Amino acid sequence: MISFRQKGDFSNLSKFLERIKEVIKMGELDKYGRRGVAALSSATPRDTGKTAESWVYEIVREKDSVRIEFSNTNVIADGTPVAILLQYGHATKHGGYVQGIDYINPAIQPIFKQIADDAWREVTR
């Protein structure tokens, strides 16, 4: 999530918020979606490569917001994404446990930072 804080004179706040809306409406979100998918794919632990190749994104627009949702379409029989099992760990059918690897957060964090930096640059120009 991107959030903004402002101190002091709020007389320009409505202009500021309108500018943010315009920045968000720009077609730039696809660029960040593609970059996020590439980052997640390259960071995903590989065995067969199927999970790494199964990252997708969707831009969801609502009345007052827009967001990018990343998901992975490689699922096991019960519908659980393999990417989540890799991230958080899982039990094995023989009673063992496979430790998770935090690969999603480090991969996607630079994309979120870039979105925030680019939006801030647009708003303050």
Side-chain angles (χ1 to χ4, degrees):
M1 176 195 300
I2 300 171
S3 62
F4 297 94
R5 294 182 187 171
Q6 181 176 337
K7 290 183 179 181
D9 180 13
F10 292 99
S11 61
N12 290 326
L13 183 58
S14 109
K15 267 197 218 178
F16 178 75
L17 293 174
E18 285 304 313
R19 183 71 181 131
I20 289 172
K21 283 183 184 179
E22 288 305 311
V23 169
I24 289 173
K25 287 179 183 176
M26 295 167 53
E28 297 294 311
L29 293 180
D30 278 321
K31 171 177 71 174
Y32 301 116
R34 289 189 304 273
R35 287 180 184 173
V37 165
L40 290 164
S41 179
S42 67
T44 302
R46 292 179 184 265
D47 184 13
T48 66
K50 184 174 181 183
T51 303
E53 296 167 1
S54 298
W55 286 103
V56 296
Y57 73 95
E58 178 182 3
I59 297 172
V60 179
R61 297 180 194 280
E62 295 177 345
K63 181 182 175 199
D64 294 324
S65 67
V66 62
R67 68 180 181 271
I68 303 174
E69 293 181 352
F70 295 94
S71 57
N72 194 287
T73 60
N74 185 22
V75 297
I76 60 174
D78 70 358
T80 304
V82 173
I84 297 302
L85 298 175
L86 293 171
Q87 174 77 15
Y88 295 109
H90 60 91
T92 65
K93 61 182 171 184
H94 300 295
Y97 182 77
V98 176
Q99 181 70 37
I101 302 166
D102 183 14
Y103 70 98
I104 293 173
N105 296 309
I108 205 68
Q109 194 62 38
I111 305 304
F112 291 156
K113 183 178 181 336
Q114 187 66 56
I115 292 170
D117 290 349
D118 290 352
W120 183 250
R121 194 169 21 263
E122 282 294 319
V123 168
T124 58
R125 67 180 177 128

